[in-house]
C-alpha cells in the first residue's frame, strides 16, 4: 500500500488507563503543527459513525505512522486489539516501518516482535516523546515536503496573522502578558496580549518559532518548534510568589533597580553582568550561570529575588523570579 497523501501524520493507539500521558503527547504534537489522530480531538467527527469500520480505516490507511502505547491495559481491551490488527495489516503490506512502539512496561503484544525498536516511556516525558515523533516525521522526506509546501504556498501568497490566546486556570483571559516568537536565527517578533487575552503577530517568513510568554503574576511559559499556520491557546497558572519577564540582552528586571546583561561566552556557557545589582551576595562578575538553575540578586534598596533563566538566545532572555520582602 502506498499513499502520498495521508489525512493524519500520526495516529495514537492506547488504553484508556494511559490517557493522561497520551493526551499530553497529543497536545504537544498539535502545538508543533503535526496532524494527529487522537480520539478526543475527533469527538464530533466520530459521532454517529460505525466505529469498527471507521477506526479500522484510520489505523490501516489514513495515517503515515501509528504510535502503539504498550501496557498491560492495552492487551486487555477489545478496541485496542481491533486497532492493533488494523495497523498490523497495513505494516504487513509495507516495506518500511509503520508501527512505532512506545512501552509503559514489558507486556508482550501479539505481532510486535521483541527485536523491533521501541521507546521506553519510564524516563521519557510526554513532550520528549512528541519531539521524537516529530523528528521521525521530519526524516520522512515526503512528510517534510508536504508539511512545508502548504506553509510556503500560504506565505508566498501574502503575509498572515498568527494569534495566541492566553487563559488562566479558571478560564479567564490574561491581558498584558508579553509574548515573543524567536526563530532559530535569533530574529524575533514581540507583542502583548490584549483585553481578550489575544496576542497577534504578522508572519512574513516560513519558520518554526520558540514561543515565550511572561507576566508579572505568572511563571514563564515556553513552547518550542511552533508552526504558526495554526492559532494556539495556552493556559497558564497564577502564582502568588513568583512572576516572569522577557528582557532584551541588556535590560531591567521588573522588581529590581539596576540592569543586567546575560552573555554567551566563547565556550558556549552563559555568564551574567549586572549594574548596581549584587549577584549571589556580591560574587565577581561576569558570573557564570546555567539555565533552569536559580541565582540570588540584590539591588541597592535591599530588594532580593531568586532568578532563573529559562531561555536565552540572541538578545532575548526569559526569566522566572521569586520575590522577597526588602530587608
Amino acid at each position: 500500500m502506498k499513499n502520498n497523501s495521508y489525512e493524519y501524520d500520526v495516529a495514537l493507539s492506547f488504553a484508556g488507563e494511559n490517557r493522561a500521558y497520551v493526551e499530553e503527547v497529543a497536545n504537544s504534537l498539535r502545538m508543533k503543527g503535526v496532524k494527529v489522530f487522537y480520539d478526543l480531538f475527533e469527538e464530533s467527527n466520530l459521532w454517529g459513525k460505525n466505529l469498527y469500520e471507521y477506526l479500522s480505516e484510520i489505523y490501516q490507511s489514513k495515517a503515515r505512522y501509528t504510535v502503539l502505547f504498550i501496557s498491560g491495559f492495552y492487551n486487555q481491551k477489545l478496541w485496542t486489539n481491533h486497532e492493533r490488527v488494523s495497523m498490523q495489516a497495513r505494516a504487513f503490506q509495507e516495506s518500511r516501518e509503520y508501527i512505532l512502539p512506545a512501552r509503559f512496561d514489558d507486556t508482550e503484544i501479539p505481532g510486535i516482535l521483541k527485536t523491533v525498536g521501541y521507546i521506553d516511556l519510564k524516563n521519557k516525558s510526554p513532550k520528549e516523546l512528541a519531539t521524537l515523533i516529530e523528528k521521525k516525521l521530519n526524516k520522512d522526506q515526503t512528510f517534510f515536503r508536504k508539511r512545508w509546501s502548504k506553509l510556503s504556498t500560504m506565505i508566498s501568497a501574502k503575509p498572515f496573522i498568527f494569534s495566541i490566546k492566553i487563559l488562566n486556570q479558571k478560564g479567564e483571559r490574561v491581558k498584558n502578558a508579553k509574548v515573543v516568537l524567536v526563530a532559530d536565527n535569533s530574529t524575533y517578533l514581540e507583542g502583548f496580549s490584549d483585553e481578550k487575552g489575544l496576542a497577534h503577530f504578522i508572519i512574513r517568513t516560513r519558520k518554526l518559532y520558540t514561543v515565550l510568554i511572561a507576566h508579572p503574576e505568572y511563571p514563564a511559559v515556553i513552547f518550542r518548534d511552533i508552526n504558526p499556520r495554526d492559532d494556539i491557546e495556552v493556559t497558564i497558572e497564577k502564582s502568588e510568589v513568583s512572576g516572569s519577564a522577557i528582557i532584551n540582552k541588556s535590560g531591567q528586571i521588573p522588581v529590581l533597580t539596576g540592569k543586567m546583561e546575560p552573555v554567551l561566552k566563547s565556550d558556549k556557557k552563559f555568564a551574567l553582568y549586572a549594574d548596581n545589582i549584587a549577584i549571589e551576595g556580591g560574587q565577581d562578575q561576569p558570573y557564570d550561570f546555567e539555565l533552569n538553575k536559580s541565582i540570588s540578586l540584590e539591588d541597592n534598596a535591599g530588594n532580593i529575588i531568586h532568578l532563573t533563566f529559562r531561555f536565552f538566545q540572541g538578545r532575548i532572555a526569559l526569566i522566572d523570579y521569586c520575590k522577597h520582602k526588602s530587608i
Side-chain angles (χ1 to χ4, degrees):
M1 178 191 304
K2 291 186 178 181
N3 188 346
N4 293 322
S5 180
Y6 295 98
E7 186 172 339
Y8 300 98
D9 299 319
V10 64
L12 308 181
S13 179
F14 61 97
E17 288 83 353
N18 303 125
R19 179 176 295 280
Y21 183 100
V22 176
E23 185 162 308
E24 288 192 52
V25 175
N27 285 325
S28 293
L29 288 172
R30 189 160 67 169
M31 294 285 285
K32 294 173 181 292
V34 175
K35 291 189 295 182
V36 54
F37 178 81
Y38 171 64
D39 57 358
L40 293 189
F41 293 167
E42 306 285 334
E43 282 187 296
S44 61
N45 192 32
L46 295 176
W47 193 7
K49 281 188 167 59
N50 182 328
L51 294 182
Y52 189 90
E53 294 180 358
Y54 186 74
L55 292 177
S56 178
E57 188 176 6
I58 291 291
Y59 289 100
Q60 190 167 347
S61 61
K62 289 187 175 292
R64 184 169 299 278
Y65 290 104
T66 292
V67 178
L68 193 161
F69 290 87
I70 296 173
S71 71
F73 300 113
Y74 190 97
N75 224 15
Q76 301 169 12
K77 304 290 182 177
L78 174 65
W79 282 108
T80 53
N81 278 289
H82 172 58
E83 294 167 5
R84 174 183 58 78
V85 170
S86 299
M87 66 181 78
Q88 286 175 336
R90 157 82 172 273
F92 180 76
Q93 299 175 59
E94 295 201 346
S95 58
R96 68 173 182 89
E97 66 272 20
Y98 165 63
I99 301 173
L100 306 178
R103 288 187 172 274
F104 287 108
D105 56 39
D106 296 328
T107 299
E108 292 189 15
I109 301 295
I112 304 297
L113 300 177
K114 292 183 178 179
T115 55
V116 173
Y118 65 89
I119 298 299
D120 188 341
L121 300 179
K122 291 185 180 69
N123 297 305
K124 192 75 65 180
S125 72
K127 289 184 179 179
E128 289 172 334
L129 180 62
T131 298
L132 288 176
I133 294 170
E134 186 187 31
K135 288 180 179 179
K136 182 73 173 180
L137 289 166
N138 284 340
K139 289 181 180 179
D140 186 325
Q141 293 302 308
T142 303
F143 165 81
F144 186 82
R145 289 193 298 270
K146 176 184 174 185
R147 183 183 189 191
W148 284 114
S149 63
K150 287 187 177 180
L151 189 58
S152 179
T153 300
M154 181 167 52
I155 292 175
S156 62
K158 61 179 180 180
F160 63 98
I161 295 177
F162 170 55
S163 299
I164 299 176
K165 186 175 184 179
I166 305 172
L167 306 173
N168 64 19
Q169 68 270 36
K170 297 180 180 179
E172 300 166 336
R173 300 161 182 172
V174 177
K175 63 179 181 179
N176 297 326
K178 186 169 184 178
V179 184
V180 176
L181 312 184
V182 184
D184 287 343
N185 63 3
S186 296
T187 59
Y188 60 91
L189 302 169
E190 57 184 342
F192 288 88
S193 59
D194 59 20
E195 295 286 338
K196 297 180 179 179
L198 292 169
H200 304 289
F201 299 89
I202 298 176
I203 304 297
R204 295 186 173 87
T205 59
R206 186 187 67 189
K207 296 181 184 299
L208 294 178
Y209 290 95
T210 296
V211 176
L212 311 177
I213 302 174
H215 190 284
E217 299 177 357
Y218 295 84
V221 176
I222 180 170
F223 294 103
R224 299 184 185 276
D225 298 329
I226 297 301
N227 189 329
R229 68 181 177 186
D230 295 317
D231 295 342
I232 62 174
E233 181 176 297
V234 177
T235 300
I236 57 180
E237 296 188 6
K238 196 169 186 177
S239 172
E240 298 297 328
V241 297
S242 63
S244 56
I246 300 172
I247 61 173
N248 288 334
K249 188 174 180 181
S250 180
Q252 186 170 357
I253 305 169
V255 292
L256 294 182
T257 59
K259 294 183 178 181
M260 67 175 189
E261 181 182 0
V263 296
L264 178 63
K265 302 194 299 182
S266 58
D267 57 3
K268 304 299 182 182
K269 294 183 178 180
F270 301 110
L272 180 64
Y273 292 92
D275 180 17
N276 208 17
I277 294 175
I279 304 174
E280 288 291 333
Q283 294 293 315
D284 291 339
Q285 300 184 28
Y287 179 84
D288 290 348
F289 70 90
E290 300 176 17
L291 294 181
N292 301 313
K293 187 174 181 180
S294 175
I295 57 177
S296 174
L297 303 180
E298 181 179 355
D299 68 9
N300 59 6
N303 298 307
I304 301 174
I305 65 170
H306 286 158
L307 179 146
T308 305
F309 283 88
R310 300 299 184 190
F311 175 92
F312 178 47
Q313 180 179 322
R315 297 187 64 85
I316 296 296
L318 174 66
I319 60 173
D320 272 323
Y321 55 84
C322 182
K323 297 169 279 189
H324 292 259
K325 293 182 180 180
S326 299
I327 58 173

